[in-house]
Amino acid sequence: PKRTRDRTSSPRPLASTAGSVMVKSTSLTKNELVDVLHRSKTSKERNRAVKLLKQFDPIPKYECDDEGQKSKMQPKKYDYLLGFMCWRCDKVKQSNYKVIWNTSKGAKPICHGCYTQLVEREEVAHMRSANQKAGIIPKGFGLGLTGVGDNIAR
């Protein structure tokens, strides 16, 4: 009978170096794959961990968005490709950019996309308050212009 390969099995081990974690299937938990991503020494190991992590549904954490100030973030550009999990959007990222965000819960790594969203949000709030002081935008009445109700959890 014809044998079909199960989607949970991988044709090659995740780590092939001696002393590393030998994994022949994708039956690892998300946390275990994140550990493999952090400990990976070769791009092959990193790429395989990234590919497997992309199969997991992200569980974003937006509870610290009110702390999203540019002064609390340090973006850094690297000369090489990084593989990491973004704390805010909970997606695996491969990028030359990584941002360290100092929150009340400690320093968290976030991706450049989340950094841009948080900085734009801060700039919009600043422009909104300036326009309200100038009388361009009325205070209250909703319409998405006044900032009322913007802090609703996503």
Side-chain angles (χ1 to χ4, degrees), residues 69-78 82 84 95-102 108-116 119:
Q69 299 161 359
K70 194 173 184 177
S71 61
K72 293 185 176 183
M73 298 182 224
Q74 295 106 26
K76 186 166 182 188
K77 184 175 190 223
Y78 294 85
L82 293 169
F84 65 97
S95 173
N96 291 21
Y97 286 97
K98 186 176 179 179
V99 180
I100 301 300
W101 181 20
N102 295 312
K108 305 293 182 187
I110 62 170
C111 63
H112 195 261
C114 287
Y115 168 74
T116 306
V119 169

Side-chain angles (χ1 to χ4, degrees), residues 127-140 142 144-147:
M127 287 174 57
R128 179 187 303 121
S129 66
N131 287 339
Q132 285 175 345
K133 285 178 186 172
I136 298 171
I137 301 174
K139 293 179 181 166
L145 302 171
T146 60

Side-chain angles (χ1 to χ4, degrees), residues 1 19 28 35 48 52 54 69-70 78 81 86 90 94 96 99 129 146-147 150:
L28 292 172
D35 288 341
R48 188 169 296 266
L52 295 174
K54 284 183 178 181
Q69 299 161 359
K70 194 173 184 177
Y78 294 85
L81 198 62
C86 175
D90 196 42
Q94 278 190 304
N96 291 21
V99 180
S129 66
T146 60
D150 284 352

Side-chain angles (χ1 to χ4, degrees), residues 60-62 65 86-90 110 114 117-118 154:
K61 301 177 192 88
Y62 298 127
D65 279 10
C86 175
W87 180 81
R88 183 174 176 262
C89 64
D90 196 42
I110 62 170
C114 287
Q117 280 182 350
L118 290 168
R154 297 177 195 191

Side-chain angles (χ1 to χ4, degrees), residues 12-94:
R12 294 186 189 114
L14 185 62
S16 57
T17 58
S20 292
V21 181
M22 292 294 287
V23 179
K24 293 189 177 184
S25 71
T26 60
S27 61
L28 292 172
T29 66
K30 188 174 183 177
N31 288 336
E32 289 171 339
L33 284 170
V34 170
D35 288 341
V36 170
L37 180 65
H38 287 293
R39 286 181 287 151
S40 64
K41 300 282 188 234
T42 65
S43 60
K44 186 176 181 180
E45 288 175 346
R46 184 182 65 237
N47 292 342
R48 188 169 296 266
V50 166
K51 185 176 181 181
L52 295 174
L53 278 166
K54 284 183 178 181
Q55 296 174 357
F56 288 91
D57 292 328
I59 304 166
K61 301 177 192 88
Y62 298 127
E63 65 262 16
C64 290
D65 279 10
D66 54 337
E67 301 176 35
Q69 299 161 359
K70 194 173 184 177
S71 61
K72 293 185 176 183
M73 298 182 224
Q74 295 106 26
K76 186 166 182 188
K77 184 175 190 223
Y78 294 85
D79 294 334
Y80 51 90
L81 198 62
L82 293 169
F84 65 97
M85 289 293 293
C86 175
W87 180 81
R88 183 174 176 262
C89 64
D90 196 42
K91 292 181 182 174
V92 65
K93 300 289 180 174
Q94 278 190 304

